[in-house]
Each structure stands twice: as structure tokens, then as C-alpha cells.
């Protein structure tokens, strides 16, 4: 994930898998590459690993300002905020 533009208040990122497990939490700046290990594509499609993630951008006092929703469907379709972005 590479956030292209952040508001002045957004300083942190928190990524949470569908089961509630926190995957990534860190400081973030615009243009910075944020790597997330999601697992093998076959495991994502078979729902062995979490297949749905919410990325929250937070203020310094940890209030949510915006969200990105990632989803991999059983047929391999990859969606970002409910828009199809590709297929595995």
C-alpha cells in the first residue's frame, strides 16, 4: 500500500484482519510504501488465511479519520473499497 495523499492530521496506520487481529500498526507518511504479508493467494481464495482487511488512518490521538477496505473473494477477485482492482 502506498498512500498518495494524507491529511495533515493523519500520522498513523493500523491494519486489522477480518477476525480482529492487528496486522500492521506504524507511523505513516505520504508516498511511503507499506508492506503487508497477506499469505499465499490460494490460501486467501480458500479463506484459510484472513481474506479481508481494514486499514485505518489515525490522528496523533488515535482517532480514525479514513479507512481502506481490502477483500479477496473466493474466485480470486481483489477489491479495494468495493471496486474491482484485479483477479488472482
Amino acid at each position: 500500500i502506498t498512500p498518495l495523499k494524507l491529511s495533515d492530521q493523519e500520522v498513523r496506520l493500523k491494519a486489522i484482519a477480518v477476525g480482529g487481529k492487528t496486522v500492521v500498526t506504524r507511523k505513516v507518511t505520504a508516498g511511503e510504501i507499506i508492506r503487508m504479508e497477506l499469505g499465499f493467494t490460494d490460501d486467501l481464495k480458500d479463506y484459510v488465511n484472513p481474506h479481508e482487511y481494514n486499514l485505518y488512518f489515525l490522528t496523533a490521538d488515535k482517532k480514525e479519520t479514513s479507512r481502506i477496505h481490502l477483500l479477496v473473494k473466493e474466485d480470486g477477485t481483489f477489491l479495494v473499497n468495493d471496486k474491482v482492482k484485479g483477479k488472482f
Side-chain angles (χ1 to χ4, degrees):
I1 302 293
T2 304
L4 301 177
K5 194 175 191 181
L6 297 172
S7 75
D8 295 337
Q9 298 173 345
E10 295 173 329
V11 295
R12 295 195 65 79
L13 171 79
K14 186 174 187 177
I16 300 175
V18 71
K21 179 182 176 188
T22 300
V23 180
V24 175
T25 180
R26 59 180 290 178
K27 289 184 179 179
V28 66
T29 57
E32 175 185 10
I33 296 172
I34 301 161
R35 299 194 186 275
M36 293 178 51
E37 292 291 328
L38 304 181
F40 295 108
T41 54
D42 286 339
D43 291 343
L44 289 170
K45 293 191 302 188
D46 294 337
Y47 294 174
V48 173
N49 289 347
H51 63 283
E52 189 173 352
Y53 295 87
N54 285 305
L55 285 68
Y56 298 100
F57 291 92
L58 309 171
T59 62
D61 57 348
K62 298 185 181 177
K63 293 190 185 221
E64 297 173 9
T65 55
S66 55
R67 176 180 69 95
I68 298 174
H69 181 249
L70 305 176
L71 174 66
V72 178
K73 291 187 173 184
E74 289 177 329
D75 66 352
T77 305
F78 180 64
L79 292 98
V80 177
N81 291 340
D82 297 327
K83 294 182 182 176
V84 176
K85 294 296 182 178
K87 190 169 184 175
F88 296 114

